[in-house]
Amino acid sequence: RVTVTASVANRTDKPVAGDTLTLEIAGRGIQTVPLNVAPNGSASVAFAPFTVPSRNMRVGVRAGSDALATDNLFNFVVSPLAPVRIIVVDGGTRAGAGLYLTRALSIGEAPKFDVMLRGPANLSDDDLRRASVVLLNDVDVPAVLGRRLGRFVQDGGGLFVAAGPRATWPSDA
């Protein structure tokens, strides 16, 4: 649940009285509260909490009306708190290296990480669709995997390469 708090400044020598602030979600007003601000003063208003669905939401706070209408609407996006999905791809040649990375990343809280460990041969397309970031941990990347990871990055995914003595990248990927 999210609580939006709006701060409003009155930069004039006249009070703002009897005006309103409206919380909008996707362009629809969901709550309107009265707004009164002293001359050259400011005020804060907290709206009722609302639930963030599983996708990003366009939210706005609209202040009544005045001579400069363009600054009466403040738009922003509210995103649900979701863990960053990371796939650690490890060649498995060093005992525990991939396990160490997954455990180290799993303890993070800000942001929270959802970590999976995969080998280069068993990284599926479904894994890539669900991931935000792929971390290659000293991996010899075959051409097929290199092309798949290239598409993953072109589609907005993140790729982190921890290069070591076994790390390679195919020239045709």
Side-chain angles (χ1 to χ4, degrees), residues 57-123:
M57 303 173 54
R58 183 173 52 100
V59 180
V61 175
R62 184 178 301 277
S65 59
D66 63 13
L68 186 58
T70 58
D71 72 346
N72 291 352
L73 177 62
F74 179 79
N75 289 304
F76 54 100
V77 174
V78 176
S79 300
L81 185 59
V84 177
R85 294 183 176 203
I86 299 176
I87 299 173
V88 174
V89 180
D90 189 84
T93 55
R94 292 166 294 149
L99 180 61
Y100 173 78
L101 271 172
T102 58
R103 286 188 179 166
L105 289 168
S106 295
I107 63 173
E109 290 294 327
K112 177 111 176 103
F113 296 116
D114 180 13
V115 185
M116 294 186 308
L117 180 62
R118 295 287 188 264
N122 62 0
L123 179 63

Side-chain angles (χ1 to χ4, degrees), residues 89-91 118-124 127 139-140 142 145 148:
V89 180
D90 189 84
R118 295 287 188 264
N122 62 0
L123 179 63
S124 72
D127 289 338
V139 174
D140 178 14
L145 179 57
R148 289 175 57 221

Side-chain angles (χ1 to χ4, degrees), residues 150-166:
R151 285 191 301 275
F152 172 74
V153 170
Q154 286 175 345
D155 291 341
L159 180 63
F160 183 85
V161 179
R166 288 169 287 285

